[in-house]
Amino acid sequence: MKAFQVNAPQDYRLVDTVAPDVAPGEVLVKVAFAGICGSDMHIIHGDNAFVRFPRITGHEFAGLVEAVGEGVEEVSVGDQVCIDPVINRGRCYPCRIGRPNVCTALEVIGVHRNGGFEERVNVPAGNVHRLPENLGLDAAALVEPYTIACNVLDRMQPHPGDRLLILGAGVIGLTILQMARAQGIEDITVSDVIDTRLDTARELGATRTLNGAEQDVEAEVAALTGGEGMPLIADAACVPALLPQMLRMASPAGRIGLLGFTPTPSDLAQLEVIKKELTLVGSRLNNRKFPEVIDLMASGRLDPLALVSHRLPFDDMPDAIQMIDHHPEKARKVLIQIGA
């Protein structure tokens, strides 16, 4: 079978490999669609400390159940499914208190073990989610990035009437925007420095947009809120230098959701945090959010295909990586069709 394999940083290609046999407790999935994520690009660039090469990447994917292993009763051959890439062991402190997405023995499909950029992949049965009939496999391949948005919003604990500021209008910022609207947040400001991204944010329902290269975002937020500040700030730009500004823009009792995965330090003014009694929360992957996102997609309250800028066949995947690397302004979500 065909697979996209990263052998080392900047060394990637389509390869022929042997299709896996289904293992006990696992499900063999024939992959239909998979999305290219920024995390996949980090692996290709050598910026992910958790990956071991060679690795078949891909953690956003959906397909058909082709075989089930011994002891599997949750799904049957022929079911249309998508896959939660978060594998936990269930015994450590985070797992015991209901936070398995930060399990001390965490594994992520496509990072610690082979992922969805292959024609067939074995996954644990507990990570497989059966799809409703009205949700296509192309849309279902994008459930995972929306679980990231769902998770950070859950960590921020919105109250009725809260305003939300999203920094960054890339794919994650746009998924947060769509998820926030689906959850009933009505006043959403999106900031970025690229006008085409802001155009998309407005198309997807942003109340207003701010271009940080042309406008003083901090002053605009102060004017908008009468100096009170934003109750909710989601950092989808993931630029460590922005943290001091986020602290200043947050309202008293505000919540800031952080998604960045860089080791670069951020300046933190403790006074700003304490005097406002701010809450800063990290958000990693997703904590069992797949059922909620699948329901929102099936109901029409989320439109994942609005994010897709390119649909490409599997053979074109190396070219897609080159495009994302050299012309990121042309790509939002790139969806790869792997199977029929």
Side-chain angles (χ1 to χ4, degrees):
M1 69 172 188
K2 190 183 302 180
F4 176 80
Q5 182 169 287
V6 183
N7 298 307
Q10 301 298 347
D11 178 5
Y12 54 86
R13 60 181 60 90
L14 290 169
V15 299
D16 288 320
T17 187
V18 177
D21 294 324
V22 67
E26 298 205 332
V27 174
L28 182 65
V29 176
K30 183 179 181 182
V31 181
F33 291 92
I36 300 177
C37 175
S39 298
D40 298 311
M41 301 304 295
H42 290 318
I43 292 173
I44 288 169
H45 296 155
D47 295 332
N48 187 316
F50 302 111
V51 74
R52 295 292 178 267
F53 298 110
R55 176 63 66 225
I56 295 169
T57 57
H59 58 274
E60 305 174 1
F61 61 100
L64 297 173
V65 174
E66 189 161 279
V68 297
E70 181 182 347
V72 175
E73 299 179 353
E74 298 90 336
V75 293
S76 303
V77 172
D79 283 347
Q80 296 192 66
V81 296
C82 64
I83 313 302
D84 185 343
V86 180
I87 302 173
N88 67 289
R89 300 303 179 208
R91 296 186 293 271
C92 65
Y93 174 71
C95 290
R96 294 198 304 271
I97 65 166
R99 302 273 293 279
N101 54 313
V102 287
C103 172
T104 57
L106 180 73
E107 288 189 333
V108 179
I109 296 170
V111 179
H112 301 88
R113 58 184 281 172
N114 286 342
F117 286 127
E118 54 185 331
E119 292 178 314
R120 289 170 178 80
V121 59
N122 253 349
V123 296
N127 291 67
V128 179
H129 293 268
R130 187 187 292 111
L131 301 173
E133 291 183 0
N134 67 333
L135 186 59
L137 287 169
D138 51 355
L142 303 181
V143 168
E144 195 276 341
Y146 284 90
T147 67
I148 303 298
C150 189
N151 202 78
V152 70
L153 288 168
D154 181 64
R155 295 278 289 137
M156 293 163 67
Q157 292 294 291
H159 294 284
D162 277 353
R163 286 169 160 160
L164 169 64
L165 170 64
I166 302 171
L167 299 181
V171 170
I172 291 301
L174 295 174
T175 60
I176 295 172
L177 166 61
Q178 285 188 294
M179 180 60 66
R181 283 181 54 81
Q183 292 183 350
I185 298 176
E186 296 180 353
D187 192 307
I188 305 172
T189 302
V190 179
S191 173
D192 203 292
V193 296
I194 300 174
D195 281 331
T196 54
R197 289 182 173 183
L198 295 174
D199 292 342
T200 302
R202 287 192 296 274
E203 291 169 6
L204 294 177
T207 310
R208 67 192 61 81
T209 58
L210 302 171
N211 188 319
E214 301 171 358
Q215 297 168 276
D216 184 334
V217 174
E218 194 171 337
E220 294 285 347
V221 166
L224 173 67
T225 63
E228 186 175 75
M230 283 285 180
L232 304 173
I233 300 177
D235 176 24
C238 305
V239 177
L242 292 177
L243 182 58
Q245 185 184 48
M246 285 188 274
L247 299 179
R248 294 192 299 269
M249 290 191 295
S251 71
R255 283 86 71 206
I256 299 173
L258 303 175
L259 289 159
F261 220 73
T262 172
T264 304
S266 300
D267 291 330
L268 188 150
Q270 187 171 337
L271 174 63
E272 200 74 23
V273 176
I274 302 306
K275 75 178 183 181
K276 295 181 180 178
E277 202 171 53
L278 299 177
T279 301
L280 277 67
V281 295
S283 182
R284 185 178 185 189
L285 301 166
N286 86 93
N287 183 2
R288 300 170 177 156
K289 300 300 184 188
F290 266 66
E292 180 177 348
V293 173
I294 289 169
D295 286 347
L296 286 170
M297 286 187 180
S299 71
R301 284 180 286 171
L302 286 177
D303 181 11
L305 298 182
L307 290 185
V308 175
S309 59
H310 296 77
R311 287 172 176 254
L312 299 170
F314 201 12
D315 286 343
D316 288 353
M317 186 160 173
D319 294 333
I321 298 297
Q322 288 291 311
M323 177 189 66
I324 295 170
D325 249 347
H326 299 293
H327 299 286
E329 75 284 357
K330 295 182 178 180
R332 290 196 304 271
K333 177 56 67 177
V334 177
L335 194 61
I336 303 296
Q337 183 164 358
I338 294 177

